[in-house]
Amino acid sequence: MIAFFTWLALAASAAIITPPPVAGVADYQLGGAYEPAQDVTIVTRDSLDPPDRSRYSICYVNAFQTQPGTTRWWKKHHPRMLLRDRAGKLVTDPGWPGEIVLDLRTATRRAELGQLVDQWFGRCAKAGYQAVEPDNLDSWTRSKKLMTRQQTITFARTMVTRAHAHGLAIAQKNTPELGRSVDFDFVVAEGCEIYHECGDYMAVYGRRMIEIEYSDTPRSAYTRACTARAGKISIMLRDRDVVPAGQRGYVYRHC
């Protein structure tokens, strides 16, 4: 085990980590891959989709919660990783049905999940992605007070090491309350204009930031974001379901 972590440290120090181009035109394609507009320079896709090899590509991984429809797999292969409350009931994300919070409470469980995340990151790198976006960093806030912010920070630091060992930049996804506690390479911030958080992120990451505002919130938020930060960071407007171009409900703008 010691030799493995020594290898990780050496690999991370040798790798050249390249974050996304500052203020690049970004597109968020989690609902399915499609050909971006010609001016797009950054594309985020689900880890199951191939990267856009002609653009800077970010690989989305749900690293702190399960994906909907995968509960049977987790129960068979990693049952201890599924967080249960004191009554033995699975702890789920109330905002996303079917997503179960993963258990980071002990070093053993963090190591088990770390091995899985390392495999996921490795597949992203092998596919040709340049960065990873591990989602639900704030899952401890939905854990019914069973997990702590410090347990999340400890695991997040391991994720940074593992991503860098694969030559991947790694994003902080939301969660401004973490501040500077984890050395992520850039941040992906959803709705920071709505929640008045954009300044908190920029205080940590400067211009290394991708901002996503959604079309189911007042359009004035996107307008304010563009007025305040266009040309400084990457800013886009997307539909909440991030459906592919051409499908009903598709919304995409950038400034």
Side-chain angles (χ1 to χ4, degrees), residues 169-185:
I170 181 170
Q172 174 176 330
K173 179 68 173 291
N174 301 325
T175 328
E177 55 266 46
L178 292 188
R180 301 179 185 274
S181 57
V182 183
D183 291 328
F184 291 105
D185 301 300

Side-chain angles (χ1 to χ4, degrees), residues 70-102:
T70 63
T71 301
R72 182 178 297 180
W73 182 89
W74 282 96
K75 285 181 175 180
K76 179 178 179 180
H77 298 284
H78 300 278
R80 296 186 307 168
M81 292 308 309
L82 300 175
L83 183 66
R84 295 179 180 271
D85 62 20
R86 292 176 179 85
K89 185 178 179 181
L90 292 170
V91 178
T92 59
D93 184 337
W96 294 95
E99 293 196 14
I100 302 167
V101 176
L102 296 175

Side-chain angles (χ1 to χ4, degrees), residues 28-68:
Y28 211 51
Q29 300 188 3
L30 301 190
Y34 55 89
E35 181 64 27
Q38 290 187 350
D39 59 350
V40 170
T41 57
I42 304 167
V43 175
T44 300
R45 288 177 176 169
D46 187 85
S47 62
L48 298 179
D49 286 327
D52 185 324
R53 290 184 173 272
S54 64
R55 296 170 173 86
Y56 188 98
S57 291
I58 302 171
C59 186
Y60 172 93
V61 176
N62 198 354
F64 291 84
Q65 297 179 179
T66 68
Q67 286 286 84

Side-chain angles (χ1 to χ4, degrees), residues 44 95 104 242:
T44 300
L104 303 176
V242 287

Side-chain angles (χ1 to χ4, degrees), residues 207-233:
R207 298 178 65 195
R208 293 177 290 120
M209 177 172 167
I210 298 173
E211 177 181 353
I212 309 165
E213 300 296 336
Y214 287 105
S215 59
D216 60 351
T217 60
R219 189 64 61 93
S220 58
Y222 174 67
T223 301
R224 291 196 306 271
C226 292
T227 300
R229 294 177 292 281
K232 298 177 182 178
I233 66 171

Side-chain angles (χ1 to χ4, degrees), residues 112-153:
E112 183 176 344
L113 183 58
Q115 294 284 359
L116 280 175
V117 169
D118 187 68
Q119 293 174 23
W120 299 337
F121 287 179
R123 287 200 293 267
C124 290
K126 187 176 181 180
Y129 284 98
Q130 289 84 47
V132 286
E133 177 193 315
D135 199 10
N136 289 303
L137 181 60
D138 61 345
S139 64
W140 91 87
T141 65
R142 296 182 287 279
S143 71
K144 299 184 177 180
K145 298 184 178 181
L146 295 171
M147 294 195 304
T148 67
R149 176 167 66 178
Q150 187 55 51
Q151 289 163 350
T152 297
I153 289 171

